[in-house]
């Protein structure tokens, strides 16, 4: 069984509801996954907009998601008992910041990328940013799954 990622909030290539956008409630959308490969010791998640005017824009990066988890709840970035580590996004915040494409732009694509890793944690400092975390995580990937939503202002 392959690693799969889905969201109860939106489906593949369909619009992300406004409550998950920065202009809405800016809530982290709920995610669920299954099919983690044998040897998975943790997960990482990256949310990126490859359609941003200045190149790929990173909205969220989470590492050290425990291997026994199979979901992230709505607003997971504000949960008090969160053991996962959030990395500084391109807005400068160590949390989720939802879609915010320029008004009038064509719909942007927001790729939620989950990776199963063969290590229990990454030791990259949170202020290093998502790109640094993802570069380190890529060395340990066992499997990846994505779901892509769209958003237009």
């Amino acid at each position: 069984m392959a690693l799969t990622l889905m969201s109860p909030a939106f489906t593949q290539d369909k619009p992300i509801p406004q409550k998950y956008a920065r202009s809405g409630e800016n809530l982290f959308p709920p995610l669920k996954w299954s099919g983690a490969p044998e040897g998975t010791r943790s997960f990482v998640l990256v949310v990126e907009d490859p359609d941003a005017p200045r190149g790929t824009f990173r909205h969220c990066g989470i590492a050290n998601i425990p291997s026994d988890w199979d979901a992230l709840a709505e607003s997971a970035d504000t949960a008090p008992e969160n053991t996962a580590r959030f990395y500084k996004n391109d807005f400068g915040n160590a949390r989720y910041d939802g879609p915010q494409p320029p008004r009038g732009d064509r719909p942007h694509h927001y790729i939620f990328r989950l990776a199963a890793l063969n290590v229990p944690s990454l030791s990259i400092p949170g202020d290093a940013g998502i790109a640094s975390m993802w570069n380190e995580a890529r060395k340990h990937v066992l499997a990846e799954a994505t779901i892509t939503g769209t958003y237009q202002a």
Side-chain angles (χ1 to χ4, degrees), residues 125-144:
D127 62 355
I130 296 169
S132 295
M133 179 273 285
W134 181 241
N135 284 337
E136 181 61 25
R138 288 176 52 200
K139 300 173 188 175
H140 304 284
V141 172
L142 297 171
E144 283 184 43

Side-chain angles (χ1 to χ4, degrees), residues 49-54 100-110 151-153:
D49 172 8
D51 302 318
R54 294 188 191 114
Q100 188 181 24
R103 189 162 302 284
D105 253 15
R106 69 197 187 311
H108 284 217
H109 296 82
Y110 295 85
Y151 193 81
Q152 185 174 25

Side-chain angles (χ1 to χ4, degrees), residues 2-8 10-12 28-36 43-47 65 70-72 110-115 144-149:
L3 182 63
T4 59
L5 178 64
M6 60 87 55
S7 176
F10 63 95
T11 57
Q12 180 67 30
F28 181 90
L31 299 171
K32 296 181 180 185
W33 58 87
S34 62
F43 296 96
V44 298
L45 178 83
V46 175
V47 182
I65 302 169
D70 63 1
L72 288 168
Y110 295 85
I111 302 168
F112 291 72
R113 182 181 316 279
L114 180 76
E144 283 184 43
T146 63
I147 184 171
T148 301

Side-chain angles (χ1 to χ4, degrees), residues 42-96:
S42 69
F43 296 96
V44 298
L45 178 83
V46 175
V47 182
E48 299 176 316
D49 172 8
D51 302 318
R54 294 188 191 114
T56 299
F57 193 93
R58 293 169 182 87
H59 288 259
C60 186
I62 312 168
N64 306 344
I65 302 169
S67 63
D68 60 346
W69 288 16
D70 63 1
L72 288 168
E74 183 175 273
S75 298
D77 54 336
T78 61
E81 295 133 20
N82 202 338
T83 60
R85 172 181 258 171
F86 283 76
Y87 285 78
K88 193 178 287 186
N89 62 30
D90 289 348
F91 289 110
N93 303 313
R95 65 169 192 249
Y96 170 81

